[in-house]
Amino acid sequence: MRRRHVPWKNGEPYPLKEVIRLFGDLLKLSRWSPPRFLVTGFALIILLGGLLLSLPFATSEGTGLRYLDAVFTATSATCVTGLVVVDTGRFYSVQGQIIIMLLIQVGGIGFMTMATLIALVLKKRISLRERIILQEAMNQHDMEGIVRLIRRVFLYSVTIEAAAAVLFTLRWAADMPLGKAAYFGVFHAISFFNNAGFDLFGEYRSLTPYVDDPLVNIVSMALIILGGIGFVVMAELLDYRKKRRLSLHTKVVLSVTATLIVLGAAVIFILEYTNTLAPLTWRGKILASLFQSVTPRTAGANTVDIGALRQATQFFIILLMFIGAGPGSTAGGIKVTTLATLVAGVHTMIRGKEDIVIYEHRLAKDRILKALTITMLAIGVVIIVTMIVSTTDQDKPFIRILFETVSAFGTVGISTGITPHLSDIARIMLALTMFTGRLGPLTLAYALGGQTEKQLFRHPEGKLIIG
Protein backbone atom coordinates (compact mmCIF):
# COMPACT_ATOMS: atom_id res chain seq x y z
CA MET A 1 0.00 0.00 0.00
CA ARG A 2 1.31 3.44 -0.94
CA ARG A 3 2.28 5.52 2.07
CA ARG A 4 0.26 8.72 2.39
CA HIS A 5 2.20 11.83 3.40
CA VAL A 6 0.71 13.81 6.25
CA PRO A 7 1.93 17.39 6.82
CA TRP A 8 4.06 17.91 9.90
CA LYS A 9 3.34 14.41 11.27
CA ASN A 10 6.19 13.35 13.56
CA GLY A 11 8.15 16.36 12.33
CA GLU A 12 8.01 15.29 8.68
CA PRO A 13 6.98 18.12 6.31
CA TYR A 14 5.41 17.72 2.89
CA PRO A 15 7.83 16.44 0.25
CA LEU A 16 8.66 19.00 -2.46
CA LYS A 17 6.73 17.14 -5.17
CA GLU A 18 3.65 16.98 -2.94
CA VAL A 19 3.76 20.73 -2.33
CA ILE A 20 4.10 21.45 -6.05
CA ARG A 21 1.24 19.05 -6.82
CA LEU A 22 -1.01 20.78 -4.29
CA PHE A 23 -0.04 24.17 -5.77
CA GLY A 24 -1.00 22.91 -9.22
CA ASP A 25 -4.31 21.56 -7.95
CA LEU A 26 -5.13 24.88 -6.31
CA LEU A 27 -4.27 26.65 -9.56
CA LYS A 28 -6.63 24.41 -11.53
CA LEU A 29 -9.44 24.70 -8.98
CA SER A 30 -9.13 28.47 -8.68
CA ARG A 31 -11.66 30.37 -10.74
CA TRP A 32 -10.06 33.73 -10.06
CA SER A 33 -9.16 36.01 -12.90
CA PRO A 34 -5.43 36.20 -13.78
CA PRO A 35 -5.05 39.71 -12.24
CA ARG A 36 -6.64 38.56 -8.98
CA PHE A 37 -4.45 35.46 -8.91
CA LEU A 38 -1.29 37.54 -9.42
CA VAL A 39 -2.26 40.05 -6.73
CA THR A 40 -2.98 37.24 -4.24
CA GLY A 41 0.25 35.43 -5.10
CA PHE A 42 2.42 38.51 -4.57
CA ALA A 43 0.61 39.32 -1.32
CA LEU A 44 1.21 35.82 0.08
CA ILE A 45 4.91 35.94 -0.82
CA ILE A 46 5.23 39.31 0.93
CA LEU A 47 3.48 38.10 4.08
CA LEU A 48 5.64 34.96 4.21
CA GLY A 49 8.80 37.01 3.56
CA GLY A 50 7.79 39.43 6.30
CA LEU A 51 7.31 36.56 8.73
CA LEU A 52 10.77 35.16 7.99
CA LEU A 53 12.46 38.58 8.25
CA SER A 54 10.81 39.23 11.62
CA LEU A 55 12.36 36.13 13.19
CA PRO A 56 15.50 36.48 15.38
CA PHE A 57 17.77 34.47 13.05
CA ALA A 58 17.24 37.05 10.27
CA THR A 59 18.81 39.90 12.27
CA SER A 60 22.50 40.31 13.07
CA GLU A 61 21.91 40.78 16.80
CA GLY A 62 19.24 38.06 17.05
CA THR A 63 16.63 40.46 18.43
CA GLY A 64 14.08 40.08 15.65
CA LEU A 65 12.19 42.91 13.95
CA ARG A 66 8.70 44.36 14.27
CA TYR A 67 6.40 42.54 11.87
CA LEU A 68 5.27 45.83 10.30
CA ASP A 69 8.87 46.77 9.49
CA ALA A 70 9.61 43.24 8.30
CA VAL A 71 6.58 43.34 5.96
CA PHE A 72 7.71 46.75 4.69
CA THR A 73 11.13 45.29 3.85
CA ALA A 74 9.58 42.19 2.28
CA THR A 75 7.28 44.40 0.20
CA SER A 76 10.22 46.52 -0.90
CA ALA A 77 12.20 43.41 -1.88
CA THR A 78 9.38 41.51 -3.60
CA CYS A 79 8.25 44.65 -5.42
CA VAL A 80 11.93 45.28 -6.32
CA THR A 81 11.93 48.79 -4.88
CA GLY A 82 14.71 49.31 -2.35
CA LEU A 83 13.14 51.64 0.20
CA VAL A 84 14.20 50.48 3.68
CA VAL A 85 13.44 51.34 7.29
CA VAL A 86 16.60 49.66 8.65
CA ASP A 87 20.11 49.38 7.23
CA THR A 88 20.21 46.16 5.18
CA GLY A 89 23.97 45.68 5.44
CA ARG A 90 24.18 46.14 9.20
CA PHE A 91 20.82 45.15 10.67
CA TYR A 92 20.19 41.83 8.89
CA SER A 93 22.24 38.68 9.31
CA VAL A 94 23.55 36.77 6.30
CA GLN A 95 20.42 34.58 6.48
CA GLY A 96 18.19 37.66 6.47
CA GLN A 97 20.10 39.14 3.53
CA ILE A 98 19.73 35.88 1.60
CA ILE A 99 15.96 35.94 2.23
CA ILE A 100 15.87 39.49 0.86
CA MET A 101 17.93 38.41 -2.16
CA LEU A 102 15.53 35.53 -2.89
CA LEU A 103 12.52 37.83 -2.55
CA ILE A 104 14.16 40.22 -5.02
CA GLN A 105 14.76 37.43 -7.52
CA VAL A 106 11.23 36.03 -7.23
CA GLY A 107 9.68 39.49 -7.33
CA GLY A 108 11.84 40.62 -10.25
CA ILE A 109 11.08 37.88 -12.75
CA GLY A 110 7.71 37.04 -11.18
CA PHE A 111 6.52 34.21 -8.95
CA MET A 112 4.55 32.67 -11.84
CA THR A 113 7.76 32.54 -13.88
CA MET A 114 9.50 30.72 -11.02
CA ALA A 115 6.58 28.31 -10.60
CA THR A 116 6.56 27.62 -14.34
CA LEU A 117 10.30 26.92 -14.36
CA ILE A 118 9.88 24.40 -11.52
CA ALA A 119 7.00 22.77 -13.41
CA LEU A 120 9.12 22.53 -16.58
CA VAL A 121 11.99 20.94 -14.65
CA LEU A 122 9.53 18.36 -13.30
CA LYS A 123 8.16 17.90 -16.85
CA LYS A 124 4.71 19.10 -15.83
CA ARG A 125 2.37 20.22 -18.61
CA ILE A 126 1.56 23.96 -18.59
CA SER A 127 -2.21 24.27 -18.84
CA LEU A 128 -4.15 26.86 -20.82
CA ARG A 129 -5.17 28.68 -17.64
CA GLU A 130 -1.57 28.87 -16.47
CA ARG A 131 -0.56 30.27 -19.86
CA ILE A 132 -3.24 32.97 -19.53
CA ILE A 133 -1.87 33.94 -16.11
CA LEU A 134 1.67 34.01 -17.52
CA GLN A 135 0.45 36.24 -20.34
CA GLU A 136 -0.92 38.68 -17.78
CA ALA A 137 2.22 38.46 -15.63
CA MET A 138 4.55 39.15 -18.57
CA ASN A 139 2.24 41.86 -19.98
CA GLN A 140 2.03 40.17 -23.38
CA HIS A 141 -0.60 40.67 -26.11
CA ASP A 142 -1.09 36.93 -26.71
CA MET A 143 -0.05 33.49 -25.42
CA GLU A 144 1.98 32.50 -28.47
CA GLY A 145 5.48 31.47 -27.40
CA ILE A 146 4.85 32.40 -23.75
CA VAL A 147 6.51 29.25 -22.33
CA ARG A 148 9.50 29.70 -24.64
CA LEU A 149 9.76 33.30 -23.39
CA ILE A 150 9.76 32.08 -19.78
CA ARG A 151 12.72 29.80 -20.53
CA ARG A 152 14.59 32.69 -22.10
CA VAL A 153 13.77 34.98 -19.18
CA PHE A 154 15.45 32.53 -16.83
CA LEU A 155 18.45 32.04 -19.13
CA TYR A 156 18.97 35.79 -19.64
CA SER A 157 18.61 36.55 -15.93
CA VAL A 158 21.09 33.90 -14.78
CA THR A 159 23.64 34.72 -17.50
CA ILE A 160 23.58 38.49 -16.98
CA GLU A 161 23.60 38.25 -13.18
CA ALA A 162 26.45 35.73 -13.21
CA ALA A 163 28.61 37.85 -15.53
CA ALA A 164 28.01 40.98 -13.43
CA ALA A 165 28.69 39.08 -10.19
CA VAL A 166 32.11 38.01 -11.51
CA LEU A 167 33.02 41.58 -12.51
CA PHE A 168 31.85 42.97 -9.16
CA THR A 169 33.81 40.26 -7.32
CA LEU A 170 37.02 41.08 -9.17
CA ARG A 171 36.62 44.77 -8.38
CA TRP A 172 35.65 44.44 -4.71
CA ALA A 173 38.29 41.79 -4.01
CA ALA A 174 40.70 44.73 -3.81
CA ASP A 175 38.66 46.27 -0.94
CA MET A 176 37.59 43.19 1.07
CA PRO A 177 38.28 39.45 1.48
CA LEU A 178 37.56 37.35 -1.61
CA GLY A 179 34.66 35.44 0.00
CA LYS A 180 32.94 38.64 1.07
CA ALA A 181 33.62 40.21 -2.35
CA ALA A 182 31.97 37.22 -4.07
CA TYR A 183 28.94 37.44 -1.78
CA PHE A 184 28.66 41.19 -2.38
CA GLY A 185 29.03 40.56 -6.11
CA VAL A 186 26.16 38.06 -6.25
CA PHE A 187 23.86 40.13 -4.01
CA HIS A 188 24.33 43.40 -5.90
CA ALA A 189 24.17 41.76 -9.34
CA ILE A 190 20.75 40.31 -8.45
CA SER A 191 19.63 43.54 -6.78
CA PHE A 192 20.63 45.85 -9.64
CA PHE A 193 19.48 43.63 -12.52
CA ASN A 194 16.07 43.29 -10.90
CA ASN A 195 16.06 47.06 -10.33
CA ALA A 196 15.72 46.57 -6.56
CA GLY A 197 18.38 48.93 -5.22
CA PHE A 198 19.17 47.04 -2.00
CA ASP A 199 22.84 47.28 -0.99
CA LEU A 200 25.08 45.91 1.76
CA PHE A 201 27.56 48.77 2.17
CA GLY A 202 25.93 50.06 5.36
CA GLU A 203 25.00 53.50 6.66
CA TYR A 204 22.54 53.94 3.74
CA ARG A 205 25.53 54.82 1.52
CA SER A 206 24.55 52.77 -1.55
CA LEU A 207 27.31 53.23 -4.18
CA THR A 208 28.46 56.71 -3.08
CA PRO A 209 31.99 55.41 -2.26
CA TYR A 210 32.32 54.43 -5.95
CA VAL A 211 31.01 57.64 -7.51
CA ASP A 212 34.00 57.92 -9.90
CA ASP A 213 34.76 54.21 -10.30
CA PRO A 214 34.26 53.35 -14.01
CA LEU A 215 33.83 49.57 -13.61
CA VAL A 216 31.28 49.73 -10.78
CA ASN A 217 29.32 52.51 -12.52
CA ILE A 218 29.29 50.93 -15.99
CA VAL A 219 28.41 47.41 -14.79
CA SER A 220 25.68 48.76 -12.49
CA MET A 221 24.17 50.95 -15.23
CA ALA A 222 24.29 48.05 -17.71
CA LEU A 223 22.41 45.84 -15.22
CA ILE A 224 19.81 48.52 -14.56
CA ILE A 225 19.22 49.22 -18.26
CA LEU A 226 19.07 45.54 -19.25
CA GLY A 227 16.67 44.78 -16.42
CA GLY A 228 14.56 47.81 -17.34
CA ILE A 229 14.11 47.40 -21.09
CA GLY A 230 12.26 44.10 -20.67
CA PHE A 231 12.88 40.49 -21.63
CA VAL A 232 10.97 40.75 -24.93
CA VAL A 233 13.28 43.55 -26.07
CA MET A 234 16.37 41.57 -25.03
CA ALA A 235 15.11 38.54 -26.96
CA GLU A 236 14.57 40.62 -30.10
CA LEU A 237 18.00 42.21 -29.85
CA LEU A 238 19.66 38.82 -29.57
CA ASP A 239 17.65 37.56 -32.58
CA TYR A 240 18.36 40.69 -34.67
CA ARG A 241 21.21 39.08 -36.62
CA LYS A 242 18.86 36.34 -37.76
CA LYS A 243 15.64 38.32 -38.37
CA ARG A 244 17.10 41.73 -39.27
CA ARG A 245 14.06 43.58 -37.94
CA LEU A 246 12.74 45.02 -34.71
CA SER A 247 9.12 45.28 -33.61
CA LEU A 248 7.42 48.61 -32.93
CA HIS A 249 7.53 47.84 -29.19
CA THR A 250 11.30 47.35 -29.19
CA LYS A 251 11.94 50.47 -31.25
CA VAL A 252 9.84 52.61 -28.92
CA VAL A 253 11.39 51.18 -25.73
CA LEU A 254 14.96 51.62 -26.96
CA SER A 255 14.49 55.11 -28.44
CA VAL A 256 12.59 56.55 -25.46
CA THR A 257 14.97 54.92 -22.97
CA ALA A 258 18.02 56.37 -24.73
CA THR A 259 16.39 59.81 -24.99
CA LEU A 260 15.49 59.90 -21.30
CA ILE A 261 18.98 58.79 -20.22
CA VAL A 262 20.78 61.39 -22.33
CA LEU A 263 18.32 64.17 -21.50
CA GLY A 264 18.34 63.25 -17.81
CA ALA A 265 22.13 63.21 -17.60
CA ALA A 266 22.35 66.62 -19.27
CA VAL A 267 19.75 68.21 -16.97
CA ILE A 268 21.32 66.71 -13.80
CA PHE A 269 24.80 67.82 -14.92
CA ILE A 270 23.61 71.41 -15.43
CA LEU A 271 21.55 71.63 -12.22
CA GLU A 272 24.13 69.95 -9.95
CA TYR A 273 27.37 71.24 -11.50
CA THR A 274 27.97 73.69 -8.66
CA ASN A 275 26.31 71.54 -5.99
CA THR A 276 26.80 67.78 -5.46
CA LEU A 277 29.02 67.43 -8.55
CA ALA A 278 31.33 70.32 -7.58
CA PRO A 279 33.94 68.29 -5.63
CA LEU A 280 34.20 65.58 -8.32
CA THR A 281 36.62 65.29 -11.21
CA TRP A 282 35.32 65.59 -14.76
CA ARG A 283 35.12 61.81 -14.98
CA GLY A 284 33.22 61.73 -11.69
CA LYS A 285 30.84 64.48 -12.85
CA ILE A 286 29.99 62.63 -16.08
CA LEU A 287 29.61 59.22 -14.39
CA ALA A 288 27.50 60.67 -11.56
CA SER A 289 25.22 62.53 -14.00
CA LEU A 290 24.73 59.39 -16.09
CA PHE A 291 24.16 57.16 -13.07
CA GLN A 292 21.60 59.49 -11.48
CA SER A 293 19.83 59.61 -14.86
CA VAL A 294 19.79 55.82 -15.22
CA THR A 295 18.81 54.92 -11.65
CA PRO A 296 15.33 56.57 -11.73
CA ARG A 297 14.45 53.91 -14.31
CA THR A 298 13.42 52.13 -11.04
CA ALA A 299 16.87 50.94 -9.96
CA GLY A 300 17.22 52.43 -6.47
CA ALA A 301 21.01 52.72 -6.24
CA ASN A 302 22.73 56.10 -6.14
CA THR A 303 26.28 57.45 -6.25
CA VAL A 304 25.56 60.91 -4.77
CA ASP A 305 23.54 61.96 -1.74
CA ILE A 306 19.96 62.27 -3.05
CA GLY A 307 18.96 64.36 -0.03
CA ALA A 308 21.66 66.92 -0.92
CA LEU A 309 20.36 67.49 -4.46
CA ARG A 310 18.69 70.79 -5.31
CA GLN A 311 14.89 70.73 -5.18
CA ALA A 312 14.75 71.32 -8.94
CA THR A 313 16.89 68.20 -9.47
CA GLN A 314 14.78 66.18 -7.06
CA PHE A 315 11.61 67.21 -8.88
CA PHE A 316 13.16 66.30 -12.24
CA ILE A 317 14.10 62.87 -10.86
CA ILE A 318 10.50 62.51 -9.61
CA LEU A 319 9.35 62.87 -13.23
CA LEU A 320 11.84 60.23 -14.39
CA MET A 321 10.75 57.85 -11.60
CA PHE A 322 7.08 58.33 -12.49
CA ILE A 323 7.81 57.32 -16.10
CA GLY A 324 9.83 54.23 -15.18
CA ALA A 325 11.17 51.76 -17.75
CA GLY A 326 9.84 49.20 -20.23
CA PRO A 327 6.80 46.88 -19.94
CA GLY A 328 7.41 43.22 -19.14
CA SER A 329 10.59 44.10 -17.25
CA THR A 330 11.70 44.18 -13.62
CA ALA A 331 10.87 47.89 -13.48
CA GLY A 332 7.85 49.98 -12.45
CA GLY A 333 6.36 53.37 -13.32
CA ILE A 334 3.81 54.08 -16.01
CA LYS A 335 6.38 52.74 -18.55
CA VAL A 336 8.15 54.41 -21.47
CA THR A 337 5.63 53.03 -23.99
CA THR A 338 2.82 54.81 -22.13
CA LEU A 339 4.78 58.07 -22.29
CA ALA A 340 5.43 57.58 -26.02
CA THR A 341 1.72 56.96 -26.66
CA LEU A 342 0.68 60.11 -24.74
CA VAL A 343 3.29 62.30 -26.44
CA ALA A 344 2.32 60.94 -29.85
CA GLY A 345 -1.35 61.63 -29.05
CA VAL A 346 -0.61 65.24 -28.12
CA HIS A 347 1.48 65.67 -31.26
CA THR A 348 -1.34 64.23 -33.39
CA MET A 349 -3.94 66.53 -31.83
CA ILE A 350 -1.78 69.64 -32.31
CA ARG A 351 -1.21 68.79 -35.98
CA GLY A 352 -4.94 68.20 -36.49
CA LYS A 353 -4.55 64.61 -37.66
CA GLU A 354 -6.81 61.68 -36.87
CA ASP A 355 -4.52 58.67 -36.36
CA ILE A 356 -1.74 58.41 -33.79
CA VAL A 357 1.28 57.10 -35.69
CA ILE A 358 4.61 55.95 -34.25
CA TYR A 359 7.34 54.66 -36.57
CA GLU A 360 4.84 54.43 -39.44
CA HIS A 361 2.48 52.27 -37.37
CA ARG A 362 -1.02 53.41 -36.40
CA LEU A 363 -1.95 52.77 -32.77
CA ALA A 364 -5.28 51.15 -31.96
CA LYS A 365 -7.72 53.15 -29.83
CA ASP A 366 -7.62 50.62 -27.00
CA ARG A 367 -3.85 51.22 -26.61
CA ILE A 368 -4.46 54.95 -26.29
CA LEU A 369 -7.25 54.49 -23.75
CA LYS A 370 -5.08 52.07 -21.76
CA ALA A 371 -2.21 54.59 -21.67
CA LEU A 372 -4.56 57.34 -20.45
CA THR A 373 -6.12 55.04 -17.84
CA ILE A 374 -2.76 53.91 -16.44
CA THR A 375 -1.50 57.50 -16.25
CA MET A 376 -4.61 58.84 -14.53
CA LEU A 377 -4.70 55.96 -12.04
CA ALA A 378 -0.99 56.48 -11.30
CA ILE A 379 -1.47 60.22 -10.74
CA GLY A 380 -4.43 59.46 -8.47
CA VAL A 381 -2.40 57.00 -6.36
CA VAL A 382 0.50 59.43 -6.00
CA ILE A 383 -1.79 62.33 -5.05
CA ILE A 384 -3.76 60.35 -2.44
CA VAL A 385 -0.69 58.77 -0.81
CA THR A 386 1.24 62.05 -0.78
CA MET A 387 -1.67 63.84 0.90
CA ILE A 388 -2.04 61.13 3.56
CA VAL A 389 1.70 60.99 4.35
CA SER A 390 1.87 64.81 4.42
CA THR A 391 -0.91 64.75 7.00
CA THR A 392 0.61 62.04 9.22
CA ASP A 393 4.18 63.37 8.98
CA GLN A 394 3.78 67.13 8.88
CA ASP A 395 7.34 67.74 10.06
CA LYS A 396 8.78 66.36 6.79
CA PRO A 397 9.34 68.65 3.75
CA PHE A 398 6.66 68.21 1.07
CA ILE A 399 9.17 67.69 -1.78
CA ARG A 400 10.75 64.81 0.15
CA ILE A 401 7.39 63.18 0.87
CA LEU A 402 6.45 63.46 -2.81
CA PHE A 403 9.87 62.03 -3.72
CA GLU A 404 9.45 58.98 -1.46
CA THR A 405 5.89 58.40 -2.70
CA VAL A 406 6.83 58.44 -6.38
CA SER A 407 9.91 56.35 -5.59
CA ALA A 408 7.60 53.77 -4.00
CA PHE A 409 5.08 53.85 -6.86
CA GLY A 410 7.80 53.60 -9.50
CA THR A 411 9.43 50.78 -7.46
CA VAL A 412 12.61 52.84 -7.64
CA GLY A 413 13.91 52.89 -4.09
CA ILE A 414 16.18 55.94 -4.13
CA SER A 415 15.43 58.01 -1.06
CA THR A 416 16.03 61.47 0.35
CA GLY A 417 16.60 59.77 3.70
CA ILE A 418 13.24 60.21 5.44
CA THR A 419 11.80 56.69 5.03
CA PRO A 420 13.37 55.27 8.26
CA HIS A 421 11.86 58.22 10.17
CA LEU A 422 8.28 57.98 8.86
CA SER A 423 5.30 57.08 11.04
CA ASP A 424 3.69 53.63 10.93
CA ILE A 425 0.75 54.91 8.90
CA ALA A 426 3.13 56.44 6.37
CA ARG A 427 5.06 53.17 6.14
CA ILE A 428 1.85 51.24 5.51
CA MET A 429 0.86 53.69 2.78
CA LEU A 430 4.27 53.44 1.09
CA ALA A 431 4.14 49.63 1.29
CA LEU A 432 0.74 49.64 -0.42
CA THR A 433 2.11 52.07 -3.00
CA MET A 434 5.05 49.76 -3.77
CA PHE A 435 2.61 46.86 -4.15
CA THR A 436 0.44 48.91 -6.52
CA GLY A 437 3.43 50.09 -8.52
CA ARG A 438 4.87 46.59 -9.00
CA LEU A 439 1.63 44.99 -10.16
CA GLY A 440 0.39 48.07 -11.98
CA PRO A 441 -2.64 50.16 -11.02
CA LEU A 442 -4.70 48.73 -13.89
CA THR A 443 -3.97 45.10 -12.92
CA LEU A 444 -4.86 45.91 -9.32
CA ALA A 445 -8.09 47.59 -10.45
CA TYR A 446 -9.02 44.51 -12.51
CA ALA A 447 -8.24 42.26 -9.53
CA LEU A 448 -10.39 44.28 -7.10
CA GLY A 449 -13.22 44.80 -9.57
CA GLY A 450 -15.87 42.32 -10.59
CA GLN A 451 -16.07 40.25 -13.75
CA THR A 452 -16.42 42.39 -16.85
CA GLU A 453 -19.27 41.66 -19.23
CA LYS A 454 -19.36 42.43 -22.91
CA GLN A 455 -21.56 45.43 -23.65
CA LEU A 456 -24.37 44.53 -26.06
CA PHE A 457 -25.34 48.09 -26.95
CA ARG A 458 -23.85 51.55 -27.58
CA HIS A 459 -25.10 54.85 -26.22
CA PRO A 460 -25.83 57.73 -28.59
CA GLU A 461 -22.88 60.00 -29.29
CA GLY A 462 -22.84 63.25 -27.33
CA LYS A 463 -21.05 66.56 -27.82
CA LEU A 464 -18.86 67.82 -24.96
CA ILE A 465 -16.93 71.06 -25.07
CA ILE A 466 -13.25 70.38 -24.23
CA GLY A 467 -10.63 73.01 -23.38
Side-chain angles (χ1 to χ4, degrees), residues 1-2 52 56 77 130 138 188 206 217 263 382 386 390-391 395 405 410 441:
M1 183 184 239
R2 187 179 176 185
L52 294 174
E130 289 164 343
M138 299 301 294
H188 292 91
S206 190
N217 275 265
L263 175 64
V382 170
T386 302
S390 297
T391 303
D395 58 323
T405 302

Side-chain angles (χ1 to χ4, degrees), residues 224-240:
I224 295 166
I225 293 170
L226 289 173
I229 60 176
F231 297 107
V232 173
V233 174
M234 276 195 284
E236 284 198 28
L237 290 176
L238 291 173
D239 291 341
Y240 182 72

Side-chain angles (χ1 to χ4, degrees), residues 166-285:
V166 171
L167 293 173
F168 279 147
T169 300
L170 294 174
R171 168 61 186 85
W172 288 329
D175 301 336
M176 58 188 75
L178 182 60
K180 185 177 180 181
Y183 174 62
F184 269 48
V186 172
F187 185 96
H188 292 91
I190 291 175
S191 178
F192 294 165
F193 176 71
N194 289 287
N195 282 212
F198 280 83
D199 71 271
L200 302 178
F201 293 104
E203 300 177 1
Y204 305 103
R205 293 182 300 168
S206 190
L207 294 178
T208 52
Y210 302 96
V211 62
D212 59 352
D213 188 300
L215 191 146
V216 172
N217 275 265
I218 292 172
V219 173
S220 299
M221 286 190 286
L223 285 170
I224 295 166
I225 293 170
L226 289 173
I229 60 176
F231 297 107
V232 173
V233 174
M234 276 195 284
E236 284 198 28
L237 290 176
L238 291 173
D239 291 341
Y240 182 72
R241 274 183 155 185
K242 188 187 301 181
K243 297 183 178 179
R244 289 291 174 183
R245 64 182 180 84
L246 296 175
S247 66
L248 173 64
H249 171 79
T250 298
K251 289 179 181 177
V252 170
V253 170
L254 293 178
S255 59
V256 177
T257 297
T259 301
L260 289 176
I261 290 174
V262 174
L263 175 64
V267 171
I268 292 170
F269 183 87
I270 293 170
L271 292 176
E272 293 298 315
Y273 185 80
T274 58
N275 188 32
T276 55
L277 302 182
L280 303 178
T281 62
W282 269 97
R283 183 178 71 182
K285 286 180 171 66

